[in-house]
Amino acid sequence: MRKGEYDLAIKALDEAIKLNPNYGGAFANRAGAYLKKNEYDRAARDYDEAIRLEPNLEAVWNGRCWTRAILGALQAALEDCTKALQSEPNNAAVYDSRGLIYLKMGQLGAAIDDYSSALRFEPKLASALYGRGLAKLKKGDKAGSDSDISAAKTIQAKIGDDFTRFGVQ
């Protein structure tokens, strides 16, 4: 989708929310569209509302975990990821999100473990490869880092830009 298409999706979801303000799924979907536009504060508010309305929606816990990780609310993000893993223990995206949190917290071993778990479920997940590469580099494993980062850039050439935007270098 292009940026304008996300704007259209958000407008449609605004209308759905007006028609049924108690539908958590609409808030979750709109949060996802805000994420794609890098509007993290708005996404966070919508994930909060989706969880308030429908706390058993599976995707919302990881969505909020990811959003909070990007915004820097790391402890709260970690709690959301733990909640997401309780219902989705084989979800690569949740491990990827938690890996980012651990990387930002400087818990490099835990970050590597979670990124490796994500890669077991989705071997070509560029963000997990890149994040694991950064964690390895910070631990002094240059060869392992180079291998992971190179593989990540082969899959997604500008993955480093994403991590810079997420506050990790």
Coordinates of all heavy atoms in Angstrom, one line a residue, residues 34-117:
Y34 N -1.8 3.3 11.2 CA -0.9 4.3 11.7 C 0.5 3.9 11.8 O 1.4 4.6 11.5 CB -1.4 4.8 13.1 CG -2.6 5.7 13.0 CD1 -3.7 5.5 13.9 CD2 -2.7 6.8 12.2 CE1 -4.8 6.3 13.9 CE2 -3.8 7.6 12.1 CZ -4.8 7.4 13.0 OH -5.9 8.2 13.0
L35 N 0.7 2.6 12.2 CA 2.1 2.1 12.2 C 2.8 2.2 10.9 O 3.9 2.6 10.8 CB 2.1 0.6 12.7 CG 2.1 0.3 14.1 CD1 2.2 -1.2 14.4 CD2 3.2 1.0 14.9
K36 N 2.1 1.8 9.8 CA 2.6 1.9 8.5 C 3.0 3.3 8.1 O 3.9 3.5 7.2 CB 1.6 1.3 7.4 CG 1.3 -0.2 7.7 CD 2.5 -1.0 7.3 CE 2.1 -2.5 7.4 NZ 3.2 -3.4 7.2
K37 N 2.3 4.3 8.6 CA 2.6 5.7 8.4 C 3.6 6.3 9.4 O 3.9 7.4 9.3 CB 1.3 6.5 8.4 CG 0.4 6.2 7.3 CD -0.9 7.1 7.4 CE -0.5 8.5 7.3 NZ -1.6 9.4 7.4
N38 N 4.2 5.4 10.2 CA 5.1 5.8 11.3 C 4.5 6.8 12.2 O 5.2 7.7 12.8 CB 6.4 6.4 10.7 CG 7.1 5.4 9.8 OD1 7.1 4.2 10.1 ND2 7.7 5.8 8.7
E39 N 3.2 6.7 12.5 CA 2.5 7.6 13.4 C 2.3 6.8 14.7 O 1.2 6.3 15.0 CB 1.2 8.1 12.8 CG 1.5 9.0 11.7 CD 0.2 9.6 11.1 OE1 -0.9 9.7 11.8 OE2 0.2 10.1 9.9
Y40 N 3.4 6.6 15.5 CA 3.5 5.7 16.6 C 2.6 6.1 17.7 O 2.0 5.2 18.4 CB 4.9 5.4 17.0 CG 5.8 5.0 15.9 CD1 6.8 5.7 15.4 CD2 5.5 3.7 15.2 CE1 7.6 5.3 14.3 CE2 6.3 3.3 14.2 CZ 7.3 4.1 13.7 OH 8.1 3.6 12.7
D41 N 2.5 7.4 18.0 CA 1.7 7.8 19.2 C 0.2 7.5 18.9 O -0.5 7.1 19.8 CB 1.9 9.3 19.4 CG 3.2 9.7 20.0 OD1 3.7 8.8 20.8 OD2 3.7 10.8 19.7
R42 N -0.2 7.8 17.7 CA -1.6 7.5 17.3 C -1.9 6.0 17.4 O -2.9 5.5 17.8 CB -2.0 8.1 16.0 CG -1.9 9.6 16.0 CD -2.2 10.2 14.7 NE -3.6 10.5 14.6 CZ -4.1 11.1 13.5 NH1 -3.4 11.5 12.5 NH2 -5.4 11.3 13.5
A43 N -0.9 5.2 16.9 CA -1.1 3.7 16.9 C -1.2 3.3 18.3 O -2.0 2.4 18.6 CB 0.1 3.1 16.2
A44 N -0.3 3.8 19.2 CA -0.4 3.4 20.6 C -1.7 3.6 21.2 O -2.3 2.8 22.0 CB 0.8 4.1 21.4
R45 N -2.3 4.8 21.0 CA -3.6 5.1 21.5 C -4.7 4.2 21.0 O -5.5 3.7 21.8 CB -4.0 6.6 21.2 CG -3.3 7.6 22.0 CD -3.9 9.0 21.9 NE -3.8 9.5 20.6 CZ -2.8 10.2 20.0 NH1 -1.7 10.4 20.7 NH2 -2.9 10.7 18.8
D46 N -4.6 3.8 19.7 CA -5.6 2.9 19.2 C -5.4 1.5 19.8 O -6.4 0.8 20.0 CB -5.6 2.9 17.7 CG -6.4 4.0 17.1 OD1 -7.1 4.8 17.8 OD2 -6.5 4.1 15.8
Y47 N -4.2 1.0 19.9 CA -3.9 -0.3 20.5 C -4.4 -0.3 22.0 O -5.1 -1.3 22.4 CB -2.5 -0.7 20.5 CG -2.0 -1.2 19.2 CD1 -0.9 -0.7 18.5 CD2 -2.7 -2.3 18.6 CE1 -0.5 -1.2 17.3 CE2 -2.3 -2.8 17.3 CZ -1.2 -2.3 16.7 OH -0.8 -2.8 15.5
D48 N -4.2 0.8 22.7 CA -4.8 0.8 24.1 C -6.3 0.7 24.1 O -6.8 -0.1 24.9 CB -4.4 2.2 24.7 CG -2.9 2.3 25.1 OD1 -2.2 1.3 25.1 OD2 -2.5 3.5 25.4
E49 N -6.9 1.4 23.2 CA -8.4 1.3 23.1 C -8.9 -0.1 22.6 O -9.8 -0.6 23.2 CB -8.9 2.4 22.2 CG -10.4 2.5 22.2 CD -11.1 2.9 23.5 OE1 -10.3 3.3 24.4 OE2 -12.3 2.8 23.6
A50 N -8.2 -0.7 21.7 CA -8.5 -2.0 21.2 C -8.4 -3.0 22.4 O -9.3 -3.9 22.6 CB -7.6 -2.5 20.1
I51 N -7.4 -2.9 23.2 CA -7.2 -3.8 24.3 C -8.2 -3.6 25.4 O -8.7 -4.5 26.0 CB -5.7 -3.7 24.9 CG1 -4.8 -4.3 23.9 CG2 -5.6 -4.3 26.2 CD1 -3.3 -4.1 24.1
R52 N -8.6 -2.3 25.6 CA -9.6 -2.0 26.6 C -10.9 -2.7 26.2 O -11.6 -3.2 27.0 CB -9.8 -0.5 26.7 CG -10.8 -0.1 27.8 CD -11.0 1.4 27.9 NE -11.8 1.8 26.8 CZ -13.2 1.7 26.7 NH1 -13.8 1.0 27.6 NH2 -13.8 2.1 25.6
L53 N -11.2 -2.6 24.9 CA -12.5 -3.1 24.4 C -12.5 -4.6 24.2 O -13.5 -5.3 24.5 CB -12.9 -2.5 23.0 CG -13.2 -1.0 23.1 CD1 -13.2 -0.4 21.7 CD2 -14.5 -0.7 23.8
E54 N -11.4 -5.2 23.7 CA -11.4 -6.6 23.4 C -10.0 -7.1 23.7 O -9.1 -7.3 22.9 CB -11.6 -6.8 21.9 CG -13.1 -6.5 21.5 CD -13.4 -6.8 20.0 OE1 -13.1 -7.9 19.6 OE2 -13.9 -5.9 19.3
P55 N -9.7 -7.4 25.0 CA -8.4 -7.8 25.5 C -7.9 -9.1 24.9 O -6.7 -9.4 25.1 CB -8.5 -7.8 27.0 CG -9.9 -7.9 27.3 CD -10.7 -7.3 26.1
N56 N -8.8 -9.9 24.3 CA -8.4 -11.2 23.8 C -8.0 -11.2 22.3 O -7.8 -12.3 21.8 CB -9.5 -12.3 24.1 CG -9.6 -12.5 25.6 OD1 -8.6 -12.5 26.4 ND2 -10.8 -12.7 26.1
L57 N -8.0 -10.1 21.7 CA -7.6 -10.0 20.3 C -6.1 -10.3 20.3 O -5.3 -9.6 20.9 CB -7.9 -8.6 19.7 CG -9.3 -8.2 19.4 CD1 -9.3 -6.8 18.9 CD2 -9.8 -9.1 18.3
E58 N -5.7 -11.3 19.5 CA -4.3 -11.8 19.5 C -3.3 -10.7 19.1 O -2.3 -10.5 19.7 CB -4.2 -13.1 18.7 CG -4.8 -14.3 19.4 CD -4.5 -15.6 18.7 OE1 -3.8 -15.6 17.7 OE2 -5.0 -16.6 19.2
A59 N -3.6 -10.1 17.9 CA -2.6 -9.3 17.3 C -2.4 -8.0 18.1 O -1.3 -7.3 17.9 CB -3.0 -9.0 15.9
V60 N -3.3 -7.6 18.9 CA -3.2 -6.2 19.5 C -2.0 -6.2 20.5 O -1.4 -5.2 20.7 CB -4.5 -5.7 20.2 CG1 -5.5 -5.5 19.1 CG2 -5.0 -6.6 21.3
W61 N -1.8 -7.3 21.2 CA -0.7 -7.3 22.2 C 0.6 -7.1 21.6 O 1.5 -6.3 22.1 CB -0.8 -8.5 23.1 CG -2.0 -8.5 24.0 CD1 -3.2 -9.2 23.8 CD2 -2.2 -7.8 25.2 NE1 -4.1 -8.9 24.8 CE2 -3.5 -8.0 25.7 CE3 -1.4 -6.9 25.9 CZ2 -4.0 -7.4 26.8 CZ3 -1.9 -6.3 27.1 CH2 -3.2 -6.6 27.5
N62 N 0.9 -7.8 20.5 CA 2.2 -7.6 19.8 C 2.2 -6.3 19.2 O 3.3 -5.6 19.2 CB 2.4 -8.7 18.8 CG 3.8 -8.5 18.2 OD1 4.8 -8.4 18.9 ND2 3.9 -8.5 16.9
G63 N 1.1 -5.8 18.6 CA 1.1 -4.5 18.0 C 1.5 -3.4 19.0 O 2.3 -2.5 18.8
R64 N 0.9 -3.5 20.2 CA 1.2 -2.5 21.2 C 2.6 -2.7 21.7 O 3.3 -1.7 22.0 CB 0.2 -2.6 22.4 CG 0.3 -1.4 23.3 CD -0.8 -1.2 24.3 NE -0.7 -2.2 25.4 CZ -1.4 -2.2 26.5 NH1 -2.4 -1.2 26.6 NH2 -1.3 -3.1 27.4
C65 N 3.0 -4.0 21.8 CA 4.4 -4.2 22.3 C 5.4 -3.5 21.3 O 6.3 -2.8 21.7 CB 4.7 -5.7 22.3 SG 6.4 -6.2 22.3
W66 N 5.2 -3.7 20.0 CA 6.1 -3.1 19.0 C 6.0 -1.6 19.1 O 7.1 -0.9 19.1 CB 5.6 -3.6 17.6 CG 6.4 -3.1 16.5 CD1 6.1 -2.1 15.6 CD2 7.8 -3.4 16.2 NE1 7.1 -1.9 14.7 CE2 8.1 -2.7 15.0 CE3 8.7 -4.3 16.7 CZ2 9.4 -2.8 14.4 CZ3 9.9 -4.4 16.1 CH2 10.3 -3.7 15.0
T67 N 4.8 -1.1 19.2 CA 4.7 0.4 19.2 C 5.4 1.0 20.5 O 6.1 2.0 20.4 CB 3.2 0.8 19.2 OG1 2.6 0.2 18.1 CG2 3.0 2.3 19.2
R68 N 5.2 0.3 21.6 CA 5.8 0.8 22.8 C 7.3 0.7 22.8 O 8.0 1.5 23.3 CB 5.3 0.1 24.0 CG 3.9 0.5 24.4 CD 3.4 -0.3 25.6 NE 2.2 0.3 26.2 CZ 1.6 -0.2 27.3 NH1 2.0 -1.3 27.8 NH2 0.5 0.4 27.8
A69 N 7.8 -0.4 22.1 CA 9.2 -0.5 22.0 C 9.8 0.6 21.2 O 10.9 1.2 21.5 CB 9.5 -1.9 21.3
I70 N 9.2 1.0 20.1 CA 9.6 2.1 19.2 C 9.6 3.4 20.0 O 10.5 4.2 19.9 CB 8.8 2.1 17.9 CG1 9.1 0.9 17.1 CG2 9.1 3.4 17.2 CD1 8.2 0.7 15.9
L71 N 8.5 3.6 20.8 CA 8.4 4.8 21.5 C 9.3 4.9 22.8 O 9.4 6.0 23.4 CB 6.9 5.0 22.0 CG 5.9 5.3 20.8 CD1 4.5 5.3 21.3 CD2 6.3 6.6 20.1
G72 N 9.9 3.8 23.2 CA 10.8 3.8 24.3 C 10.2 3.4 25.6 O 10.9 3.4 26.6
A73 N 8.9 3.0 25.7 CA 8.3 2.5 26.9 C 8.7 1.0 27.0 O 7.8 0.1 26.9 CB 6.8 2.7 26.9
L74 N 9.9 0.7 27.3 CA 10.5 -0.6 27.2 C 9.9 -1.6 28.2 O 9.6 -2.8 27.8 CB 12.0 -0.6 27.3 CG 12.7 0.3 26.2 CD1 14.2 0.3 26.4 CD2 12.3 -0.1 24.8
Q75 N 9.8 -1.3 29.4 CA 9.2 -2.2 30.4 C 7.8 -2.6 30.1 O 7.4 -3.7 30.1 CB 9.4 -1.7 31.8 CG 9.1 -2.7 32.9 CD 10.0 -3.9 32.8 OE1 11.2 -3.8 32.7 NE2 9.4 -5.1 32.8
A76 N 7.0 -1.6 29.7 CA 5.6 -1.8 29.4 C 5.5 -2.7 28.1 O 4.7 -3.6 28.0 CB 4.8 -0.5 29.2
A77 N 6.4 -2.4 27.2 CA 6.5 -3.2 25.9 C 6.8 -4.6 26.2 O 6.2 -5.5 25.6 CB 7.5 -2.6 25.0
L78 N 7.7 -4.8 27.1 CA 8.1 -6.2 27.5 C 7.0 -7.0 28.1 O 6.7 -8.1 27.7 CB 9.3 -6.1 28.5 CG 10.1 -7.3 28.7 CD1 10.7 -7.9 27.4 CD2 11.2 -7.0 29.7
E79 N 6.2 -6.3 28.9 CA 5.0 -6.9 29.5 C 4.0 -7.3 28.4 O 3.4 -8.4 28.4 CB 4.3 -6.0 30.5 CG 5.2 -5.8 31.8 CD 4.8 -4.7 32.7 OE1 3.6 -4.2 32.5 OE2 5.6 -4.3 33.6
D80 N 3.8 -6.4 27.4 CA 2.9 -6.7 26.3 C 3.4 -7.9 25.5 O 2.6 -8.8 25.1 CB 2.7 -5.5 25.4 CG 1.9 -4.4 26.0 OD1 1.1 -4.7 27.0 OD2 1.9 -3.3 25.5
C81 N 4.7 -8.0 25.2 CA 5.2 -9.1 24.5 C 5.0 -10.4 25.2 O 4.7 -11.4 24.6 CB 6.7 -8.9 24.2 SG 7.1 -7.8 22.8
T82 N 5.2 -10.4 26.5 CA 5.0 -11.6 27.3 C 3.6 -12.0 27.2 O 3.3 -13.2 27.0 CB 5.4 -11.3 28.8 OG1 6.8 -11.0 28.8 CG2 5.2 -12.5 29.7
K83 N 2.7 -11.1 27.3 CA 1.2 -11.4 27.1 C 0.9 -12.0 25.7 O 0.2 -13.0 25.6 CB 0.4 -10.1 27.4 CG -1.1 -10.3 27.2 CD -1.7 -10.9 28.3 CE -3.2 -10.9 28.2 NZ -3.9 -11.8 29.0
A84 N 1.5 -11.4 24.7 CA 1.3 -11.9 23.4 C 1.9 -13.3 23.2 O 1.3 -14.2 22.6 CB 2.0 -11.0 22.3
L85 N 3.0 -13.6 23.8 CA 3.6 -14.9 23.7 C 2.8 -16.0 24.4 O 2.8 -17.2 24.1 CB 5.1 -14.9 24.2 CG 6.1 -14.3 23.3 CD1 7.4 -14.2 24.0 CD2 6.2 -15.1 22.0
Q86 N 2.0 -15.6 25.4 CA 1.1 -16.5 26.1 C 0.1 -17.1 25.1 O -0.2 -18.3 25.2 CB 0.5 -15.9 27.3 CG 1.4 -15.6 28.4 CD 0.8 -14.8 29.5 OE1 -0.3 -14.3 29.4 NE2 1.5 -14.6 30.6
S87 N -0.4 -16.3 24.2 CA -1.4 -16.8 23.3 C -0.9 -17.1 21.9 O -1.5 -17.8 21.2 CB -2.5 -15.7 23.1 OG -2.0 -14.5 22.6
E88 N 0.3 -16.6 21.6 CA 0.9 -16.9 20.3 C 2.4 -17.3 20.5 O 3.3 -16.6 20.1 CB 0.9 -15.7 19.4 CG -0.5 -15.1 19.2 CD -0.4 -13.9 18.3 OE1 -0.4 -14.0 17.1 OE2 -0.4 -12.8 18.9
P89 N 2.7 -18.5 21.1 CA 4.1 -18.9 21.4 C 4.9 -19.2 20.1 O 6.1 -19.3 20.3 CB 3.9 -20.1 22.2 CG 2.6 -20.7 21.9 CD 1.7 -19.5 21.5
N90 N 4.3 -19.3 19.0 CA 5.1 -19.6 17.8 C 5.1 -18.4 16.8 O 5.3 -18.6 15.6 CB 4.5 -20.8 17.1 CG 4.6 -22.1 17.9 OD1 5.5 -22.2 18.8 ND2 3.7 -23.0 17.8
N91 N 4.9 -17.2 17.3 CA 4.8 -16.1 16.4 C 6.1 -15.3 16.3 O 6.6 -14.8 17.3 CB 3.7 -15.1 17.0 CG 3.4 -14.0 16.0 OD1 4.3 -13.4 15.4 ND2 2.1 -13.5 16.0
A92 N 6.7 -15.4 15.1 CA 8.0 -14.8 14.9 C 8.0 -13.3 15.2 O 8.9 -12.7 15.7 CB 8.4 -15.0 13.4
A93 N 6.9 -12.6 14.8 CA 6.8 -11.2 15.0 C 6.9 -10.8 16.5 O 7.5 -9.8 16.8 CB 5.5 -10.6 14.4
V94 N 6.3 -11.6 17.4 CA 6.4 -11.3 18.8 C 7.9 -11.4 19.3 O 8.4 -10.6 20.0 CB 5.5 -12.2 19.6 CG1 5.6 -11.9 21.1 CG2 4.0 -12.0 19.1
Y95 N 8.5 -12.5 18.9 CA 9.9 -12.6 19.3 C 10.8 -11.5 18.7 O 11.7 -11.0 19.4 CB 10.5 -14.0 18.8 CG 10.0 -15.1 19.7 CD1 9.1 -16.0 19.2 CD2 10.5 -15.3 21.0 CE1 8.6 -17.1 20.0 CE2 10.1 -16.4 21.8 CZ 9.1 -17.2 21.3 OH 8.7 -18.3 22.1
D96 N 10.5 -11.1 17.5 CA 11.2 -10.0 16.8 C 11.0 -8.7 17.6 O 11.9 -8.0 17.9 CB 10.7 -9.8 15.4 CG 11.4 -8.8 14.6 OD1 12.7 -8.8 14.6 OD2 10.7 -7.9 14.0
S97 N 9.7 -8.5 18.1 CA 9.4 -7.3 18.9 C 10.2 -7.3 20.2 O 10.8 -6.3 20.6 CB 7.9 -7.2 19.2 OG 7.2 -7.0 18.0
R98 N 10.2 -8.4 20.9 CA 10.8 -8.5 22.1 C 12.4 -8.5 22.0 O 13.0 -7.9 22.8 CB 10.4 -9.8 22.9 CG 10.7 -9.7 24.4 CD 10.1 -10.9 25.1 NE 10.8 -12.1 24.8 CZ 10.5 -13.3 25.4 NH1 9.6 -13.3 26.4 NH2 11.1 -14.4 25.1
G99 N 12.9 -9.0 20.9 CA 14.3 -8.8 20.6 C 14.7 -7.4 20.5 O 15.7 -7.0 21.0
L100 N 13.8 -6.5 19.8 CA 14.1 -5.1 19.7 C 14.2 -4.5 21.1 O 15.0 -3.7 21.4 CB 13.1 -4.4 18.9 CG 13.2 -2.9 18.8 CD1 14.5 -2.5 18.1 CD2 12.0 -2.3 18.0
I101 N 13.2 -4.9 22.0 CA 13.2 -4.3 23.3 C 14.5 -4.7 24.1 O 15.1 -3.8 24.7 CB 12.0 -4.9 24.1 CG1 10.7 -4.4 23.5 CG2 12.0 -4.5 25.6 CD1 9.5 -5.2 23.9
Y102 N 14.9 -5.9 24.0 CA 16.1 -6.3 24.7 C 17.3 -5.6 24.1 O 18.2 -5.3 24.9 CB 16.3 -7.9 24.7 CG 15.4 -8.6 25.6 CD1 14.7 -9.7 25.2 CD2 15.2 -8.2 26.9 CE1 13.9 -10.5 26.1 CE2 14.4 -8.9 27.8 CZ 13.8 -10.1 27.4 OH 12.9 -10.8 28.2
L103 N 17.3 -5.5 22.8 CA 18.4 -4.7 22.2 C 18.5 -3.3 22.7 O 19.6 -2.8 23.1 CB 18.3 -4.8 20.7 CG 19.4 -4.1 19.8 CD1 20.7 -4.8 20.1 CD2 19.0 -4.2 18.3
K104 N 17.4 -2.6 22.8 CA 17.3 -1.3 23.3 C 17.7 -1.2 24.8 O 18.3 -0.2 25.2 CB 15.9 -0.7 23.1 CG 15.7 -0.3 21.6 CD 14.3 0.3 21.5 CE 14.4 1.5 20.6 NZ 13.1 2.3 20.6
M105 N 17.4 -2.3 25.5 CA 17.8 -2.3 26.9 C 19.2 -2.7 27.2 O 19.7 -2.7 28.3 CB 16.8 -3.3 27.7 CG 15.4 -2.9 27.7 SD 14.3 -4.2 28.4 CE 14.0 -3.5 30.0
G106 N 19.9 -3.1 26.1 CA 21.3 -3.5 26.3 C 21.4 -5.0 26.8 O 22.5 -5.4 27.1
Q107 N 20.3 -5.7 26.8 CA 20.4 -7.1 27.2 C 20.6 -7.9 25.9 O 19.7 -8.6 25.3 CB 19.1 -7.5 27.9 CG 18.9 -6.7 29.2 CD 17.6 -7.1 29.9 OE1 17.0 -8.2 29.6 NE2 17.1 -6.2 30.8
L108 N 21.9 -8.0 25.5 CA 22.3 -8.5 24.2 C 22.0 -10.0 24.1 O 21.6 -10.5 23.0 CB 23.7 -8.1 23.9 CG 24.0 -6.6 24.0 CD1 25.5 -6.4 23.7 CD2 23.2 -5.9 23.0
G109 N 22.3 -10.8 25.1 CA 22.1 -12.2 25.0 C 20.6 -12.5 24.9 O 20.3 -13.4 24.0
A110 N 19.8 -11.8 25.6 CA 18.3 -12.0 25.5 C 17.9 -11.6 24.1 O 17.0 -12.3 23.5 CB 17.6 -11.3 26.6
A111 N 18.4 -10.5 23.6 CA 18.0 -10.1 22.2 C 18.4 -11.1 21.2 O 17.6 -11.4 20.3 CB 18.7 -8.7 21.9
I112 N 19.6 -11.6 21.3 CA 20.1 -12.7 20.3 C 19.2 -13.9 20.4 O 18.7 -14.4 19.4 CB 21.5 -13.0 20.6 CG1 22.4 -11.8 20.1 CG2 21.9 -14.3 19.8 CD1 23.9 -11.9 20.6
D113 N 18.8 -14.3 21.6 CA 17.9 -15.5 21.8 C 16.6 -15.2 21.2 O 16.1 -16.1 20.5 CB 17.8 -15.8 23.3 CG 19.0 -16.4 24.0 OD1 19.9 -16.8 23.2 OD2 19.0 -16.4 25.2
D114 N 16.0 -14.1 21.4 CA 14.7 -13.8 20.8 C 14.7 -13.7 19.3 O 13.8 -14.2 18.6 CB 14.0 -12.6 21.5 CG 13.3 -12.9 22.7 OD1 13.2 -14.1 23.1 OD2 12.7 -12.0 23.4
Y115 N 15.7 -13.0 18.8 CA 15.8 -12.9 17.4 C 16.1 -14.2 16.7 O 15.5 -14.6 15.7 CB 17.0 -11.9 17.0 CG 16.6 -10.5 17.1 CD1 17.5 -9.6 17.8 CD2 15.5 -9.9 16.6 CE1 17.2 -8.2 17.9 CE2 15.2 -8.6 16.7 CZ 16.0 -7.7 17.3 OH 15.8 -6.4 17.4
S116 N 16.8 -15.1 17.4 CA 17.0 -16.5 16.9 C 15.7 -17.2 16.9 O 15.4 -18.0 16.0 CB 18.1 -17.2 17.7 OG 19.4 -16.6 17.5
S117 N 14.9 -17.0 18.0 CA 13.6 -17.7 18.0 C 12.7 -17.2 16.9 O 12.0 -18.0 16.2 CB 12.9 -17.4 19.4 OG 13.6 -18.0 20.4

